[in-house]
């Protein structure tokens, strides 16, 4: 347990300046894992040094990889080869890292040893059955709490079997877990997804030398990995995390007079749905200096304030912005007219029930919000809600950050009861936002 760290956000003037957000969390996790499986030394620049990613680094060390940080912030990983991980001496504590947990379950499943995994209260409440089901088809076994929850034991198999698995729900984490189990599995392992999800795993596997095919089929997008490749060390430059960039971008969109630049943001089309959605609402977001870094499209985002209007955000966009709906809802609460966010069932099983967090928190702030099935309807008046409330973060970093952004435009301050979880994905969040002109402060 940690001591709560309350923060309060107050109304700010026009924002200005240039910032760089922390490295992409999804890519950071994968860089450490694939570097830990590759032969030779992988150098990683721009790694997100949040608690979630550091948990992955610790887990890879515990299973035999060498992971070190240089004084200049560059990370070095010396791998053990595909199939070379060793049984950890102690349980792997993943903290709040859901991505790390699910991907590591896949890695471990195809190794002939047993590993125990646990995490914080939030992670221990999250369902893991969607991962265990396909991995059990490949030969692994799991012992879990009820509903597939942590703590759990992964009992890996010495004779993994390749499968072709169709995702029942779009999930990059489940897809990646199956493909990672396929690394140490003979033959070809395939995952079919009805809705395309982020493809960092496929991109980075190729970067390290694996053969991955992607085909469009009548059932959906099919990713196929040729098993037991020789992965070779490959340097990785981690772009700015689009999920983290969404917070200053929304701030620039809703605070009158703002003109900011968020530099070096990863713009993988399967991750950039929030920026498309904001543009649908009338936001002024320009891509400057587009380039490719580490196999991923990157650009600097110039964001200027413009009045927002309501829009209907389609369900098919959800996989490309599943972590950004909370902060998008803050923008919708400041827009004029009705915004409908469709297909949000996945928000109910994130670090917290984020759909409830949108409805309850915005309603408390004075906004008009309706939840109809898996859709969230926000009726904006063209002016921000009044604020003046304390929001319970529920150990969820994105709840905390989203409402701190909203507090920059509400007439009355918004207080977050505990912002400590922000360090899992965005260390230094308050200071970086304040450098643009926000007014986020700890209580005296």
């Amino acid at each position: 347990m940690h001591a709560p760290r309350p923060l309060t956000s107050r109304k700010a003037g026009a924002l200005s300046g240039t910032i760089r957000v922390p490295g992409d969390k999804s890519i950071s996790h994968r860089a450490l894992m694939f570097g830990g499986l590759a032969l030779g030394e992988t150098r990683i620049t721009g790694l997100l040094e949040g608690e979630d990613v550091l948990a992955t680094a610790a887990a890879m060390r515990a299973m035999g990889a060498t992971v070190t940080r240089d004084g200049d912030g560059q990370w070095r990983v010396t791998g053990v080869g595909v199939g070379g991980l060793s049984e950890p001496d102690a349980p792997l504590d993943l903290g709040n890292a859901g991505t790390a947990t699910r991907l590591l379950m896949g890695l471990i499943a195809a190794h002939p040893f047993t590993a125990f995994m646990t995490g914080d209260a939030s992670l221990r409440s999250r369902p893991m059955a969607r991962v265990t089901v396909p991995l059990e088809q490949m030969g692994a076994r799991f012992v879990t709490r009820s509903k597939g929850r942590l703590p759990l034991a992964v009992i890996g198999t010495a004779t993994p079997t390749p499968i072709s698995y169709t995702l029942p729900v779009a999930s990059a984490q489940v897809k990646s877990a199956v493909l990672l189990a396929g690394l140490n599995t003979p033959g070809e392992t395939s995952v079919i997804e009805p809705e395309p999800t982020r493809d960092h795993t496929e991109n980075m596997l190729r970067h390290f030398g694996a053969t991955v095919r992607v085909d469009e089929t009548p059932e959906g997008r099919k990713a196929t990995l040729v098993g037991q490749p020789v992965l070779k060390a490959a340097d990785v430059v981690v772009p700015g995390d689009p999920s983290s960039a969404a917070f200053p971008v929304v701030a620039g969109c809703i605070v009158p007079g703002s003109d900011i630049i968020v530099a070096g943001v990863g713009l993988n089309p399967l991750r950039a749905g929030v920026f498309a959605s904001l543009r649908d609402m009338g936001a002024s977001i320009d891509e400057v200096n587009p380039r490719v870094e580490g196999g991923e499209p990157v650009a600097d985002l110039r964001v200027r304030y413009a009045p927002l209007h309501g829009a209907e955000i389609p369900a098919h966009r959800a996989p490309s912005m599943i972590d950004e709906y909370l902060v998008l809802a803050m923008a919708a609460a400041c827009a004029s007219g009705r915004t409908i966010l469709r297909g949000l069932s996945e928000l109910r099983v994130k670090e917290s029930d984020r759909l409830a967090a949108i409805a309850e928190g915005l309603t408390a702030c004075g906004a008009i919000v309706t939840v109809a099935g898996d859709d969230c309807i926000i009726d904006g008046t063209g002016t921000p809600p009044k604020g003046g409330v304390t929001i319970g973060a529920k150990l969820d970093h994105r709840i905390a950050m989203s409402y701190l952004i909203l507090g920059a435009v509400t007439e009355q301050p918004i207080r977050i009861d505990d912002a400590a979880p922000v360090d899992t994905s965005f260390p230094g969040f308050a200071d970086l936002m304040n450098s643009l002109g926000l007014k986020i402060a700890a209580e005296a």
Side-chain angles (χ1 to χ4, degrees):
M1 296 296 292
H2 63 266
R5 295 202 334 241
L7 286 179
T8 299
S9 179
R10 292 176 167 79
K11 192 170 184 178
L15 309 181
S16 63
T18 299
I19 61 169
R20 183 177 294 272
V21 298
D24 185 285
K25 185 163 68 164
S26 296
I27 294 174
S28 293
H29 282 306
R30 289 161 174 80
L32 289 168
M33 291 182 194
F34 297 159
L37 295 175
L39 299 177
E41 182 183 83
T42 292
R43 293 173 295 178
I44 307 171
T45 303
L47 187 87
L48 168 64
E49 296 184 359
E51 292 173 359
D52 282 9
V53 174
L54 297 180
T56 292
M60 295 306 294
R61 284 192 198 100
M63 293 188 288
T66 301
V67 184
T68 58
R69 182 187 188 279
D70 292 345
D72 61 1
Q74 187 174 87
W75 287 71
R76 298 176 183 268
V77 184
T78 302
V80 296
V82 170
L85 296 177
S86 55
E87 183 171 277
D89 292 334
L92 302 176
D93 187 344
L94 282 307
N96 191 246
T99 297
T101 300
R102 293 183 172 118
L103 269 58
L104 288 170
M105 287 167 66
L107 275 187
I108 294 166
H111 285 76
F113 60 73
T114 297
F116 299 89
M117 308 177 80
T118 189
D120 67 10
S122 172
L123 186 60
R124 294 196 307 271
S125 72
R126 299 177 67 180
M128 297 294 162
R130 62 177 60 179
V131 180
T132 63
V133 167
L135 295 180
E136 285 173 340
Q137 294 178 20
M138 300 180 76
R141 292 185 293 132
F142 296 86
V143 180
T144 74
R145 294 168 65 218
S146 63
K147 302 179 182 178
R149 294 173 298 157
L150 273 67
L152 60 75
V154 186
I155 305 167
T157 176
T159 56
T161 302
I163 62 172
S164 180
Y165 185 70
T166 300
L167 295 178
V169 177
S171 170
Q173 293 179 358
V174 179
K175 173 181 66 175
S176 297
V178 174
L179 292 176
L180 294 189
L183 276 173
N184 197 36
T185 300
E188 296 188 350
T189 296
S190 298
V191 179
I192 301 169
E193 46 185 1
E195 293 286 346
T197 65
R198 58 186 66 178
D199 58 356
H200 302 307
T201 295
E202 298 96 306
N203 291 343
M204 194 167 291
L205 281 171
R206 293 189 191 99
H207 185 62
F208 279 86
T211 298
V212 181
R213 300 192 308 272
V214 176
D215 302 296
E216 297 299 331
T217 74
E219 293 77 29
R221 182 178 180 272
K222 181 179 182 180
T224 301
L225 169 70
V226 178
Q228 298 180 323
V230 176
L231 299 185
K232 297 180 180 179
D235 293 350
V236 177
V237 176
V238 181
D241 194 318
S243 297
S244 295
F247 297 100
V249 167
V250 167
C253 289
I254 64 176
V255 178
S258 296
D259 186 349
I260 65 171
I261 293 176
V262 186
V265 179
L267 294 177
N268 184 306
L270 296 176
R271 288 288 303 282
V274 67
F275 307 124
S277 298
L278 286 165
R279 290 187 181 106
D280 287 350
M281 299 170 66
S284 174
I285 305 172
D286 296 321
E287 297 177 14
V288 181
N289 187 24
R291 54 207 186 267
V292 175
E293 293 179 355
E296 297 279 346
V298 175
D300 305 330
L301 298 181
R302 184 180 183 187
V303 185
R304 286 170 282 191
Y305 170 78
L308 301 180
H309 55 75
E312 182 170 337
I313 309 304
H316 68 76
R317 199 175 282 169
S320 69
M321 55 177 292
I322 195 63
D323 288 326
E324 287 78 71
Y325 278 110
L326 263 167
V327 73
L328 182 66
M330 305 300 119
C334 300
S336 59
R338 170 168 287 190
T339 297
I340 304 176
L341 309 176
R342 296 204 179 277
L344 307 190
S345 60
E346 187 71 7
L347 292 192
R348 300 185 191 276
V349 292
K350 300 296 285 183
E351 282 85 334
S352 65
D353 182 341
R354 288 181 176 165
L355 186 51
I358 291 172
E360 295 168 5
L362 284 180
T363 299
C365 288
I368 303 170
V369 184
T370 307
V371 174
D374 293 330
D375 299 341
C376 183
I377 303 165
I378 302 170
D379 287 300
T381 64
T383 58
K386 69 179 187 306
V389 298
T390 295
I391 299 291
K394 302 178 183 178
L395 295 176
D396 191 324
H397 51 131
R398 299 197 194 280
I399 292 177
M401 290 186 283
S402 296
Y403 282 98
L404 289 170
I405 293 299
L406 183 63
V409 292
T410 53
E411 284 300 322
Q412 300 175 35
I414 293 179
R415 177 181 182 270
I416 303 300
D417 68 342
D418 183 14
V422 169
D423 289 340
T424 64
S425 69
F426 203 145
F429 169 79
D431 288 343
L432 193 63
M433 295 301 102
N434 287 345
S435 73
L436 294 173
L438 269 73
K439 297 180 179 178
I440 300 172
E443 298 175 356

